[in-house]
Amino acid sequence: MSVVLRFIAALWAALFLGGFAGLALAADQASAARAQERGTHQAYEAHLPDDLATAPELCAKLDCAAVFPGAVSFSARKGQPPYVEAYGPAKAGEAHGPLLGYVMLSTDITDTPAYSGKPVVTLIGMDREGRYVGVKVLKHSEPILLLGIPEAALVNFNHQYVGKSVRDKIEVGPSRPEEQVLGVDAISGATVTVIAQNQVMQLSSSAVARQVGLIAPVHREPLKAIEAGTRYSWEQLIKLGAVQRLQVRPEQVGLDRASEPFIELWFGDLNHPDLGRSLLGATGYENLRSRLKAHEQAFFIIRTAGAESFKGSGFVRGGIYDRVQVRQGAESFTFRDLDYLNLYGLEAAGAPGYTESAIFIIRAPSFSAAYPWKLAFLGNRVDRATGQRSFANFEAKYWLPAELMQGGRPEVEEDEAPWRRVWKARAPGIAAFIVLLLAVTLVYALRERLTRRATHRNKWPVNLFKYSAWALSIAFVGFGVMAQPSITQVLTWFHSLLFQWTWSLFLSDPFIFVFWIFIILTVFLFGRGLFCGWMCPFGSLSEALYKVGGRLGLKRWQRRVPQAVHDKLKWLKYGIFFGLLAVSMVSMSTAEMLAEVEPFKTTFLVGILHRAWPYGLFVCTLLGVSLFVERPYCKYICPLGAALAMPSTFRWFGLRRKMDCNSCKACAVGCGAQAIDAAGRIDHRECLHCLDCMVLYTDTAGCPPLAKERKRRERDGLLITPIGRDGYFIPLTPVAPELPAKVAQGPDPRMPTEPQQPPHKADATGLRWLLLELRDHLWPWSPQSLRGPRALLLAGVAFALAASVAWVLAATGRLSGPALILWWFGWSVYEVLIRLQGRRYVKDGPWWQANYRRASVMDMLSYVGFKNLLLGACLFLLLKAMGVLLP
């Protein structure tokens, strides 16, 4: 009766919690539906006017009144970078009312990318005192704000700026009054997005505030030149760094690749006497200085290639040169017609020919030629998929050589990168997290010492550490710092590697960044089991529920999935992973939506109560099933587990086995992950490292072969010696253990598959072994496969030629990155097939050892996929570095 009561109580608790969550989720769904009707997701990939970046009347294209309450009219774009003046009601006879403040479009000023790699287009209102009065997101490309987190969260985040000042030092996170830092609350699960948005807000508003005088310019010491009377040639100026190049390729602005750059500019300082005389000649330099006031600075620009004008096709008398800008620190300097002088020629020997030239004068006293500055070319980038134009700027840095200045270059305190501030602000938590990961790694590395102290009946020496890791993973990693890794990060990193890698994006979430370093290292050392079995927050939660269910009296209903069914279901997660990877190559946003097969976002990042009911029901179902089946999600659905399982094929260190394991089923029966087959072999792709088999390995009472030998020794009065590394009693005189014929003739459970030594490598050593190793990786054919089906052989020759031609075309700039990836994928599929015909073996353990074994289909998929991913990534990045790969 008590067992029945415990079961009813547990079931009632589960139903109560599930019902409560269901009610909350139903309410949340209704709220979400109402929000959807109001157009909550209207900013995701919204279509903006094609001429938004160039239209003089910005507020004719956008609803500027939405970010500036009380304004009734707006000016045309002014200044550089552009902004709009907001006016109140006009009196009779007035063209417009009093000036209330300013409106700016973020992409007119900065193209800071968010997590998607694209900027969040934002309209910002600021009053005459520098206070934010309104913020509106016009367009974003963040999939997590489409499905995982409502756009209302971003709206609420931006609303925190209203009332704050452009003069305030605002950071994402808690306020720090002692440092005069105002904090704004982050969006759980979208840390990188809001850090980028905070940077956009401050860069945009401060750029306009400096133009209109709300922020005082920075004072910099003027240049103190060392005048040696040296005349430099053009080549010497380049080597010295006194002239710099800014080149923009057509593909960088969304045009077709061409041999000619979109524009190529050379520029340099004309304030240093030696440089000025070298470039302009003595007469030209003296003439220039006579036209400048004491605080005014000058530099030159020439266009040496490309048909695009740096002066701008729309320039008129009295207007602004809107294609070039100088930036120093947080200040931007633009040029009008009165700031322009003709450059009639360059006197430096070897100077190139040019098709456009100018001398620009910087009249602001805050600029100093002694400090670093950047030349920015401002333009538009065309999205090749949609045809839409977006703001883009291309910069090149300039700093006078130290040897040309008295006392060398001055010390410069640049604004700290946002990701650095995040790391500093969360330093204690990051340090604690790193200590936790190191401690878990150390404990696991010493697992053999732990398991020898445990027995089948008393596993607490192991479980104490494992259960502690679960608790910390759930509470601290999952719900605390919300560092649950996700397959979306794998897809995002894969795309960033192929298209645009930005370190700052990934460093903006330090816990995820550190966690992935841990995952990558431990996967290759031990396999995926240390992360999946010990440190994955959702996996730990699922396993904990299974253990709690057993304690509550549900043990009699807890069942293993039949092995035959398990052996089929375990492949599902690999299909999900490859499906998501394939979809992501077509549409990253669609892949993000399909990645909701992961319950992590709902459980830890957003919360069950903040999502529509289907997501909550999915999580509750998975956790409910976990009461009766051990880790069902981890074993059959998790695409992240599948992604980590493939490199686990090549882990360096596995769990110990002995020959008797091929006939003893004790470990297989007790394996919750069902990763031990009938022959006693461990599939390290499925193993979750519970270490139960390692406990049995040295347990003289729990391990049947050891128990049998122990009883025999006790009966015969023989010495009970310790257990050796081979899993047997250490003999008094060194001899090999005597094995029953059935055991000796059975498969070797110490290898995941049958050992296999390639004949051509049997006696190879030194350089010959290295050459054969290289041939094995690059040449998939063998004598057996060459004698195989002719159709397969011909297909291989065709694929090999096509893949080689694809790389050549990519190297010459005539094939795009996605097309190259498609060809490389096709070759990889063929390579798997042909290797299964003749070179059906892989290595077990470190690559420099020669522990070969027969490859299963999954072994070969993992080997070829991982090998070609590394080769392809190296070649791909090389082509990108050479600048020859089409986007």
Side-chain angles (χ1 to χ4, degrees), residues 34-95:
R34 291 192 297 271
Q36 185 71 28
E37 291 175 359
R38 294 195 301 268
T40 301
H41 292 139
Q42 61 185 356
Y44 181 77
E45 294 291 6
H47 179 79
L48 300 178
D50 293 335
D51 59 344
L52 183 61
T54 57
E57 299 290 339
L58 175 68
C59 295
K61 302 288 183 181
L62 302 174
D63 182 14
C64 293
V67 297
F68 212 114
V72 297
S73 63
F74 302 89
S75 72
R77 273 186 164 114
K78 296 186 173 186
Q80 193 61 253
Y83 63 91
V84 168
E85 292 182 341
Y87 306 114
K91 296 180 181 179
E94 293 181 344

XYZ file of all heavy atoms in Angstrom, residues 34-95:
457
model
N -2.189 37.682 -28.726
C -2.558 39.100 -28.783
C -1.393 39.949 -29.256
O -1.564 40.894 -30.038
C -3.042 39.561 -27.408
C -4.367 38.960 -26.990
C -4.927 39.677 -25.767
N -4.080 39.529 -24.610
C -4.197 38.528 -23.746
N -5.123 37.597 -23.912
N -3.391 38.458 -22.694
N -0.197 39.599 -28.768
C 0.987 40.347 -29.194
C 1.237 40.166 -30.678
O 1.639 41.090 -31.372
C 2.208 39.874 -28.396
N 0.957 38.936 -31.160
C 1.153 38.685 -32.586
C 0.197 39.531 -33.414
O 0.549 40.061 -34.469
C 0.945 37.190 -32.871
C 1.234 36.770 -34.299
C 2.713 36.819 -34.585
O 3.525 36.656 -33.703
N 3.050 37.077 -35.832
N -1.044 39.645 -32.927
C -2.023 40.461 -33.637
C -1.582 41.919 -33.683
O -1.899 42.642 -34.627
C -3.383 40.350 -32.935
C -4.008 38.964 -33.069
C -5.285 38.827 -32.268
O -5.672 39.813 -31.597
O -5.886 37.765 -32.315
N -0.852 42.351 -32.670
C -0.365 43.738 -32.659
C 0.898 43.902 -33.491
O 1.463 44.978 -33.559
C -0.080 44.172 -31.218
C -1.302 44.258 -30.340
C -0.975 45.030 -29.067
N 0.080 44.416 -28.307
C -0.129 43.531 -27.333
N -1.358 43.137 -27.043
N 0.887 43.013 -26.662
N 1.355 42.802 -34.110
C 2.532 42.905 -34.969
C 3.825 42.833 -34.205
O 4.768 43.550 -34.484
N 3.878 41.946 -33.191
C 5.068 41.872 -32.355
C 6.315 41.580 -33.165
O 7.386 42.072 -32.878
C 4.872 40.777 -31.284
O 3.734 41.101 -30.514
C 6.066 40.685 -30.367
N 6.174 40.753 -34.200
C 7.338 40.333 -34.959
C 7.496 41.121 -36.256
O 8.113 40.661 -37.200
C 7.237 38.830 -35.281
C 7.354 37.967 -34.067
N 6.575 36.860 -33.879
C 8.148 38.070 -32.967
C 6.891 36.293 -32.723
N 7.825 37.005 -32.153
N 6.942 42.320 -36.281
C 6.957 43.073 -37.517
C 8.349 43.585 -37.890
O 8.583 43.941 -39.042
C 6.004 44.259 -37.406
C 6.380 45.253 -36.296
C 5.351 46.346 -36.149
O 4.403 46.415 -36.918
N 5.538 47.209 -35.171
N 9.299 43.589 -36.961
C 10.634 44.104 -37.278
C 11.575 43.024 -37.793
O 12.629 43.344 -38.325
C 11.254 44.770 -36.038
N 11.218 41.755 -37.645
C 12.114 40.685 -38.090
C 12.178 40.672 -39.609
O 11.182 40.443 -40.298
C 11.644 39.331 -37.568
C 12.558 38.198 -37.993
C 13.778 38.009 -37.356
C 12.222 37.354 -39.037
C 14.628 36.999 -37.739
C 13.065 36.332 -39.422
C 14.265 36.160 -38.771
O 15.116 35.159 -39.171
N 13.383 40.940 -40.143
C 13.633 40.986 -41.588
C 12.602 41.863 -42.299
O 12.153 41.572 -43.404
C 13.630 39.574 -42.189
C 14.776 38.691 -41.711
C 16.137 39.146 -42.221
O 16.231 40.210 -42.859
O 17.119 38.424 -41.964
N 12.203 42.969 -41.630
C 11.226 43.881 -42.226
C 11.805 44.544 -43.468
O 13.014 44.775 -43.571
C 10.820 44.942 -41.203
N 10.924 44.855 -44.413
C 11.369 45.535 -45.637
C 11.403 47.040 -45.381
O 10.397 47.646 -44.999
C 10.428 45.226 -46.801
C 10.828 45.922 -48.064
N 11.851 45.469 -48.872
C 10.367 47.059 -48.644
C 11.988 46.274 -49.904
N 11.100 47.251 -49.792
N 12.558 47.637 -45.573
C 12.716 49.080 -45.423
C 12.838 49.710 -46.807
O 13.215 49.030 -47.772
C 13.966 49.382 -44.588
C 13.969 48.816 -43.161
C 15.276 49.150 -42.470
C 12.793 49.342 -42.364
N 12.526 50.990 -46.920
C 12.639 51.650 -48.229
C 14.030 51.484 -48.829
O 15.042 51.582 -48.124
C 12.336 53.120 -47.900
C 11.497 53.063 -46.661
C 11.993 51.894 -45.879
N 14.075 51.220 -50.128
C 15.352 50.972 -50.794
C 16.296 52.162 -50.700
O 17.520 51.992 -50.653
C 15.113 50.611 -52.270
C 14.398 49.271 -52.416
O 14.510 48.450 -51.491
O 13.734 49.062 -53.440
N 15.737 53.369 -50.708
C 16.581 54.575 -50.681
C 16.681 55.163 -49.282
O 16.980 56.358 -49.134
C 16.033 55.621 -51.658
C 14.597 56.040 -51.333
O 13.927 55.304 -50.550
O 14.141 57.072 -51.857
N 16.463 54.345 -48.273
C 16.476 54.854 -46.899
C 17.818 55.473 -46.536
O 17.874 56.471 -45.821
C 16.139 53.713 -45.922
C 16.048 54.101 -44.441
C 14.944 55.125 -44.217
C 15.811 52.864 -43.582
N 18.896 54.910 -47.043
C 20.225 55.394 -46.665
C 20.584 56.704 -47.352
O 21.495 57.404 -46.905
C 21.274 54.334 -47.002
N 19.883 57.050 -48.423
C 20.277 58.239 -49.200
C 19.196 59.310 -49.271
O 19.490 60.439 -49.671
C 20.644 57.811 -50.636
O 19.533 57.116 -51.232
C 21.860 56.883 -50.621
N 17.965 58.966 -48.936
C 16.877 59.937 -49.067
C 17.122 61.144 -48.168
O 17.347 60.991 -46.966
C 15.541 59.281 -48.712
N 17.074 62.375 -48.707
C 17.291 63.579 -47.869
C 16.251 63.711 -46.766
O 16.566 64.103 -45.647
C 17.197 64.730 -48.872
C 17.460 64.100 -50.206
C 16.910 62.715 -50.126
N 14.992 63.384 -47.094
C 13.904 63.510 -46.127
C 13.712 62.169 -45.413
O 12.877 61.360 -45.788
C 12.610 63.950 -46.828
C 12.701 65.281 -47.523
C 12.806 66.444 -46.536
O 12.417 66.263 -45.366
O 13.257 67.530 -46.949
N 14.491 61.943 -44.374
C 14.427 60.674 -43.653
C 13.042 60.432 -43.072
O 12.507 59.322 -43.145
C 15.472 60.665 -42.529
C 15.461 59.441 -41.605
C 15.902 58.196 -42.361
C 16.365 59.667 -40.401
N 12.446 61.472 -42.518
C 11.177 61.303 -41.817
C 9.989 61.208 -42.762
O 8.859 60.969 -42.318
C 10.968 62.432 -40.814
S 12.213 62.395 -39.490
N 10.233 61.374 -44.045
C 9.199 61.061 -45.023
C 9.153 59.564 -45.284
O 8.149 59.041 -45.777
C 9.461 61.811 -46.331
N 10.228 58.889 -44.950
C 10.313 57.435 -45.140
C 9.967 56.673 -43.864
O 9.519 55.540 -43.923
C 11.737 57.056 -45.570
C 12.211 57.742 -46.844
C 11.507 57.190 -48.057
C 12.030 57.824 -49.339
N 11.325 57.296 -50.534
N 10.217 57.305 -42.695
C 10.025 56.635 -41.418
C 9.155 57.476 -40.506
O 9.050 58.701 -40.675
C 11.381 56.389 -40.744
C 12.412 55.567 -41.517
C 13.733 55.547 -40.766
C 11.911 54.148 -41.754
N 8.550 56.828 -39.535
C 7.705 57.522 -38.559
C 8.582 58.060 -37.436
O 8.719 57.440 -36.378
C 6.652 56.550 -38.030
C 5.701 57.228 -37.045
O 5.695 58.479 -36.986
O 4.981 56.497 -36.326
N 9.188 59.229 -37.657
C 10.079 59.805 -36.652
C 9.334 60.234 -35.396
O 9.912 60.274 -34.304
C 10.829 60.998 -37.250
S 11.991 60.542 -38.561
N 8.035 60.553 -35.542
C 7.252 60.971 -34.371
C 7.147 59.850 -33.352
O 6.925 60.103 -32.164
C 5.865 61.423 -34.817
N 7.340 58.597 -33.788
C 7.239 57.465 -32.866
C 8.360 57.474 -31.837
O 8.214 56.910 -30.753
C 7.268 56.150 -33.661
N 9.495 58.111 -32.169
C 10.614 58.152 -31.232
C 10.815 59.558 -30.671
O 11.742 59.779 -29.880
C 11.921 57.665 -31.886
C 11.798 56.225 -32.309
C 12.329 58.547 -33.054
N 9.957 60.501 -31.069
C 10.068 61.857 -30.518
C 8.672 62.404 -30.261
O 8.132 63.187 -31.051
C 10.830 62.791 -31.453
C 11.593 63.841 -30.686
C 12.964 63.861 -30.696
C 10.931 64.790 -29.909
C 13.679 64.809 -29.973
C 11.621 65.737 -29.185
C 13.005 65.749 -29.208
N 8.062 62.004 -29.140
C 6.722 62.497 -28.811
C 6.714 64.014 -28.694
O 7.622 64.615 -28.128
C 6.430 61.846 -27.446
C 7.364 60.668 -27.381
C 8.591 61.081 -28.137
N 5.701 64.627 -29.249
C 5.567 66.084 -29.184
C 6.089 66.793 -30.403
O 5.751 67.963 -30.637
N 6.912 66.146 -31.203
C 7.432 66.775 -32.421
C 6.367 66.706 -33.503
O 5.689 65.687 -33.668
C 8.702 66.076 -32.874
N 6.225 67.799 -34.246
C 5.206 67.843 -35.303
C 5.823 67.956 -36.692
O 5.139 67.741 -37.692
C 4.223 69.007 -35.073
C 3.449 68.805 -33.772
C 4.950 70.352 -35.037
N 7.097 68.327 -36.758
C 7.766 68.413 -38.061
C 9.249 68.095 -37.877
O 9.795 68.177 -36.767
C 7.589 69.795 -38.688
O 8.198 70.797 -37.882
N 9.872 67.738 -38.995
C 11.272 67.319 -38.965
C 12.011 67.897 -40.154
O 11.434 68.086 -41.232
C 11.375 65.785 -38.984
C 10.664 65.113 -37.839
C 9.315 64.760 -37.943
C 11.321 64.871 -36.648
C 8.658 64.158 -36.891
C 10.670 64.263 -35.583
C 9.336 63.913 -35.697
N 13.276 68.170 -39.942
C 14.104 68.732 -41.009
C 14.558 67.636 -41.956
O 14.321 66.443 -41.739
C 15.327 69.416 -40.407
O 16.243 68.437 -39.900
N 15.244 68.058 -43.007
C 15.936 67.098 -43.856
C 17.190 66.613 -43.123
O 17.561 67.137 -42.059
C 16.305 67.739 -45.181
N 17.824 65.607 -43.670
C 19.066 65.114 -43.058
C 20.101 66.231 -43.022
O 20.285 66.969 -43.986
C 19.620 63.946 -43.864
C 19.064 62.578 -43.474
C 19.788 61.495 -44.244
N 19.603 60.169 -43.694
C 18.964 59.186 -44.309
N 18.420 59.396 -45.498
N 18.863 57.992 -43.745
N 20.804 66.315 -41.905
C 21.852 67.312 -41.732
C 23.111 66.634 -41.230
O 23.066 65.563 -40.645
C 21.428 68.391 -40.729
C 20.253 69.238 -41.152
C 20.011 70.360 -40.152
C 18.939 71.323 -40.655
N 18.819 72.485 -39.747
N 24.231 67.320 -41.398
C 25.471 66.871 -40.790
C 26.033 65.597 -41.388
O 25.507 65.018 -42.337
N 27.141 65.182 -40.820
C 27.824 63.955 -41.233
C 28.548 63.385 -40.028
O 29.509 64.012 -39.563
C 28.800 64.246 -42.362
C 29.320 63.012 -43.059
C 28.227 62.195 -43.709
O 27.895 61.127 -43.200
N 27.650 62.681 -44.787
N 28.089 62.295 -39.463
C 26.986 61.457 -39.950
C 25.636 62.158 -39.811
O 25.473 63.029 -38.961
C 27.074 60.227 -39.057
C 27.748 60.688 -37.813
C 28.718 61.738 -38.254
N 24.677 61.729 -40.625
C 23.419 62.488 -40.712
C 22.553 62.370 -39.465
O 22.590 61.377 -38.742
C 22.715 61.834 -41.917
C 23.757 61.053 -42.627
C 24.728 60.631 -41.584
N 21.771 63.404 -39.242
C 20.749 63.399 -38.214
C 19.633 64.305 -38.685
O 19.747 65.007 -39.703
C 21.298 63.882 -36.868
C 21.788 65.313 -36.876
C 20.946 66.373 -36.545
C 23.093 65.620 -37.233
C 21.392 67.692 -36.561
C 23.552 66.923 -37.265
C 22.698 67.950 -36.925
O 23.146 69.256 -36.959
N 18.525 64.294 -37.956
C 17.344 65.083 -38.304
C 16.956 65.918 -37.097
O 16.995 65.418 -35.964
C 16.183 64.151 -38.725
C 14.879 64.919 -38.815
C 16.489 63.476 -40.047
N 16.614 67.168 -37.323
C 16.139 68.015 -36.234
C 14.634 67.846 -36.080
O 13.900 67.780 -37.075
C 16.475 69.483 -36.504
C 17.974 69.759 -36.441
C 18.305 71.224 -36.662
O 17.440 71.945 -37.216
O 19.412 71.656 -36.281
N 14.185 67.768 -34.822
C 12.763 67.628 -34.505
C 12.243 68.955 -33.965
O 12.871 69.555 -33.088
C 12.566 66.516 -33.476
N 11.089 69.394 -34.494
C 10.537 70.715 -34.132
C 9.160 70.553 -33.493
O 8.395 69.627 -33.808
C 10.408 71.604 -35.361
C 11.682 71.760 -36.147
C 11.786 71.254 -37.434
C 12.783 72.420 -35.603
C 12.954 71.397 -38.175
C 13.950 72.571 -36.329
C 14.037 72.053 -37.611
O 15.193 72.203 -38.335
N 8.855 71.523 -32.595
C 7.531 71.589 -31.997
C 6.573 72.368 -32.891
O 6.907 72.733 -34.023
N 5.377 72.629 -32.375
C 4.389 73.374 -33.172
C 4.916 74.763 -33.556
O 5.541 75.445 -32.745
C 3.181 73.475 -32.238
C 3.373 72.357 -31.258
C 4.851 72.221 -31.071
N 4.672 75.165 -34.777
C 5.146 76.451 -35.278
C 4.110 77.541 -35.013
O 2.905 77.281 -35.013
C 5.430 76.348 -36.768
N 4.606 78.738 -34.779
C 3.732 79.896 -34.656
C 3.418 80.426 -36.044
O 4.066 80.067 -37.021
C 4.403 80.970 -33.816
C 4.650 80.545 -32.372
C 5.323 81.656 -31.585
C 5.591 81.226 -30.140
N 6.284 82.295 -29.364
N 2.446 81.281 -36.108
C 2.039 81.833 -37.399
C 3.217 82.523 -38.067
O 3.928 83.311 -37.440
C 0.888 82.820 -37.198
N 3.438 82.218 -39.313
C 4.494 82.855 -40.085
C 5.841 82.188 -39.965
O 6.783 82.553 -40.679
N 6.002 81.201 -39.059
C 7.284 80.512 -38.887
C 7.349 79.275 -39.780
O 6.343 78.590 -39.983
C 7.491 80.097 -37.426
C 7.665 81.272 -36.475
C 7.898 80.817 -35.045
O 7.622 79.630 -34.743
O 8.363 81.647 -34.238
N 8.528 79.023 -40.311
C 8.712 77.838 -41.154
C 8.577 76.564 -40.345
O 8.089 75.546 -40.833
C 10.080 77.889 -41.841
